Amino acid sequence: MPFYQAIPLAFLTIFLTSTGIALAAAEQPLTVEQLVEVAIEVNPQIRVTKELWDAAQHQVLQNYAPADPIFTYGALDSDHDFNAGEHTHTITDNFQFPGEAFLQADEARRTAEITRLTFEAAVRDLRAGVETAYYQVLLDDGLIAINDENIANLKQVVNVTQAQYTGGQAQQSDLIGAELALEQAQLQQRQYQTSRLNDRAGLNQLLYRKPASPLNLDQKIELRPLELRLDKAVDTATHARQEILEAALTEKNSATALKLARMEYLPNYQVSGEYDLLLGPGTRPLPLVGKGWTFTFGFNLPVFFWIHQREDVFSAQHSLEAAGYGMNSVLSQTETTVTQLYQSALFAYESAQVYKVQLIPLADKEFKVALVAYQSGKVDFLTLSSALQSDYASRLTYLQNANSFFAGEVALEQAMGVSFQK
């Protein structure tokens, strides 16, 4: 069952208000999966595409119905007192050549299926948007935490340089440089906090909530390697991505349109039945005959086929060719996109692991050693400052690589059209 059809009612009862557009403050932190479920339920754009899908499904059966019959009433040979010599009652209806209605219904059915895929693509893109916004908020929180540590280290450096300068063992420029770096870090903190507010507002927008509404989010960042081979990811994408399925249905509709164009050479029919009341003696074929039936049957003649039907056929052939090329283009783009996203996500994961396991501990150790060495006069302030910057940069790069991995994983699932490890 698709995930958008399996939203737990109990969860929605807890987290949705009676209006269906606000998320209550939760005691337990919300996971990204829970945020996605809520967004699918309340996001207006999803509701729009769902209604369009429902509308398209109601455009199939009507293709089997013939055109509405036309009833005509006539009062013939009326005098100035409206006394008619004859009353006519006629019913006329037009009918397509047998088989056209079934082909048109097939087209409408595929069009409804394309609309369903459009709905699924909207759900897929909303999921990707919520997950990306969620991980961006986590990145903001991580940046604030890392910068907090950097500010604490800078305060320690300021205290050390202050003591060294007071003791005549350091230049005043060392103290000024440390204070300047501290002020810059504190200003950077304000920027990170502003970015967090803006990104939370963006996440609230996807949840159809007020920008400043509070969110209690699960802050845990857990990196898990991709559990899917590249060839499997490409194969899955070529069979599951909504745009590819839509292109395939469009190609089939174009083939059906070509059949319908060729059927324009075949006649359509008109059937008419007329009931006459012969009121005047002069209108009667026999003295005792006062009523009669008249039936007519006709069909169209494609006498202008060289500028009408033939051109429709040529147009439909070119549309079919275009649909085929469009299908191949979407397949090629999907294969390339999935490959690029997979390789980028894989590198981001590997890079994050290297920073977490090796580079961050080394940078942290380098700073601590440099701080002690500076106090003993073995290294200058530039060396200490470089060690501190390296420590901060290594933590920052790890967080950015982790966020790149999450963003790449989300984009990969979006390009594939399915979720593979949630």
Side-chain angles (χ1 to χ4, degrees), residues 198-214:
N198 290 336
D199 292 332
R200 282 178 171 262
L203 180 56
N204 275 322
Q205 188 271 328
L206 293 174
L207 299 172
Y208 198 41
R209 305 171 71 226
K210 296 296 183 182
S213 299

Side-chain angles (χ1 to χ4, degrees), residues 94-109:
N94 296 312
F95 298 91
Q96 293 178 310
F97 191 87
E100 287 190 48
F102 293 99
L103 293 176
Q104 290 167 346
D106 287 341
E107 275 190 313
R109 190 175 294 107

Side-chain angles (χ1 to χ4, degrees), residues 33-337:
E33 291 82 7
Q34 292 171 329
L35 292 173
V36 168
E37 290 175 351
V38 173
I40 292 172
E41 178 68 18
V42 302
N43 189 274
Q45 189 59 41
I46 297 300
R47 294 186 176 184
V48 168
T49 55
K50 178 62 169 63
E51 293 299 328
L52 292 176
W53 174 24
D54 291 339
Q57 293 181 82
H58 290 286
Q59 296 176 347
V60 178
L61 290 180
Q62 58 185 284
N63 290 278
Y64 294 109
D68 292 333
I70 300 175
F71 174 77
T72 305
Y73 170 78
L76 307 183
D77 298 327
S78 300
D79 60 16
H80 64 280
D81 292 325
F82 299 102
N83 295 315
E86 179 182 349
H87 289 173
T88 63
H89 308 78
T90 306
I91 294 180
T92 304
D93 205 351
N94 296 312
F95 298 91
Q96 293 178 310
F97 191 87
E100 287 190 48
F102 293 99
L103 293 176
Q104 290 167 346
D106 287 341
E107 275 190 313
R109 190 175 294 107
R110 293 193 196 100
T111 300
E113 182 68 9
I114 290 173
T115 311
R116 180 188 67 82
L117 291 170
T118 301
F119 164 69
E120 289 190 0
V123 172
R124 174 203 68 192
D125 294 342
L126 177 63
R127 168 183 282 273
V130 171
E131 290 178 345
T132 300
Y134 171 81
Y135 291 127
Q136 184 61 47
V137 171
L138 292 192
L139 174 64
D140 294 333
D141 291 334
L143 290 173
I144 290 173
I146 289 174
N147 203 46
D148 268 337
E149 295 180 8
N150 187 48
I151 290 173
N153 290 335
L154 283 169
K155 288 180 178 179
Q156 187 177 4
V157 170
V158 168
N159 292 334
V160 169
T161 54
Q162 176 72 52
Q164 294 291 95
Y165 172 68
T166 302
Q169 298 178 351
Q171 300 294 325
Q172 186 179 13
S173 59
D174 294 355
L175 178 60
I176 295 174
E179 291 176 340
L180 176 62
L182 177 60
E183 291 293 332
Q184 290 174 334
Q186 290 172 337
L187 183 61
Q188 183 70 53
Q189 191 74 330
R190 290 178 57 190
Q191 180 180 343
Y192 287 151
Q193 291 168 347
T194 301
S195 297
R196 178 172 61 179
L197 292 174
N198 290 336
D199 292 332
R200 282 178 171 262
L203 180 56
N204 275 322
Q205 188 271 328
L206 293 174
L207 299 172
Y208 198 41
R209 305 171 71 226
K210 296 296 183 182
S213 299
L215 282 170
N216 185 12
L217 302 179
D218 186 356
Q219 301 292 326
K220 182 174 63 176
I221 297 180
E222 181 180 357
L223 287 178
R224 293 177 297 178
L226 292 173
E227 299 177 357
L228 189 69
R229 300 192 314 273
L230 175 57
D231 57 343
K232 180 63 176 178
V234 173
D235 182 67
T236 300
T238 56
H239 291 86
R241 190 183 182 194
Q242 287 76 14
E243 286 79 2
I244 293 177
L245 300 179
E246 289 177 14
L249 290 173
T250 299
E251 187 175 17
K252 289 182 179 179
N253 265 359
S254 296
T256 301
L258 178 58
K259 293 180 182 178
L260 287 170
R262 288 170 175 165
M263 292 183 74
E264 290 181 11
Y265 288 106
L266 302 174
N268 294 326
Y269 305 101
Q270 184 180 77
V271 178
S272 177
E274 180 179 322
Y275 177 69
D276 300 325
L277 293 177
L278 309 175
L279 304 178
T283 63
R284 299 178 180 180
L286 296 173
L288 299 179
V289 176
K291 57 185 178 180
W293 283 94
T294 301
F295 298 97
T296 60
F297 174 80
F299 56 89
N300 67 298
L301 297 175
V303 294
F304 301 106
F305 67 88
W306 68 89
I307 58 175
H308 184 191
Q309 286 85 355
R310 186 181 66 174
E311 293 302 310
D312 283 346
V313 171
F314 288 159
S315 176
Q317 286 174 337
H318 287 300
S319 295
L320 178 58
E321 290 290 334
Y325 289 129
M327 175 73 174
N328 294 335
S329 176
V330 174
L331 276 171
S332 176
Q333 290 175 0
T334 298
E335 291 174 354
T336 301
T337 300

Side-chain angles (χ1 to χ4, degrees), residues 268-415:
N268 294 326
Y269 305 101
Q270 184 180 77
V271 178
S272 177
E274 180 179 322
Y275 177 69
D276 300 325
L277 293 177
L278 309 175
L279 304 178
T283 63
R284 299 178 180 180
L286 296 173
L288 299 179
V289 176
K291 57 185 178 180
W293 283 94
T294 301
F295 298 97
T296 60
F297 174 80
F299 56 89
N300 67 298
L301 297 175
V303 294
F304 301 106
F305 67 88
W306 68 89
I307 58 175
H308 184 191
Q309 286 85 355
R310 186 181 66 174
E311 293 302 310
D312 283 346
V313 171
F314 288 159
S315 176
Q317 286 174 337
H318 287 300
S319 295
L320 178 58
E321 290 290 334
Y325 289 129
M327 175 73 174
N328 294 335
S329 176
V330 174
L331 276 171
S332 176
Q333 290 175 0
T334 298
E335 291 174 354
T336 301
T337 300
V338 169
T339 300
Q340 293 173 334
L341 291 173
Y342 184 94
Q343 292 173 162
S344 297
L346 184 62
F347 173 76
Y349 174 79
E350 293 172 349
S351 180
Q353 292 300 109
V354 170
Y355 270 93
K356 180 179 180 180
V357 177
Q358 301 177 21
L359 300 184
I360 289 179
L362 285 175
D364 186 55
K365 183 177 180 180
E366 179 189 17
F367 167 65
K368 292 178 179 177
V369 169
L371 185 63
V372 174
Y374 177 77
Q375 290 176 295
S376 60
K378 295 181 180 179
V379 298
D380 57 13
F381 179 76
L382 179 60
T383 302
L384 174 60
S385 178
S386 297
L388 177 57
Q389 292 177 4
S390 177
D391 185 37
Y392 174 65
S394 62
R395 296 176 187 274
L396 187 63
T397 305
Y398 162 74
L399 196 60
Q400 291 172 338
N401 280 320
N403 187 69
S404 295
F405 170 71
F406 287 128
E409 186 181 50
V410 171
L412 178 60
E413 290 186 342
Q414 188 177 16

Side-chain angles (χ1 to χ4, degrees), residues 10-23:
F11 172 79
L12 295 178
T13 301
I14 295 174
F15 293 104
L16 294 177
T17 66
S18 59
T19 61
I21 61 173
L23 194 63

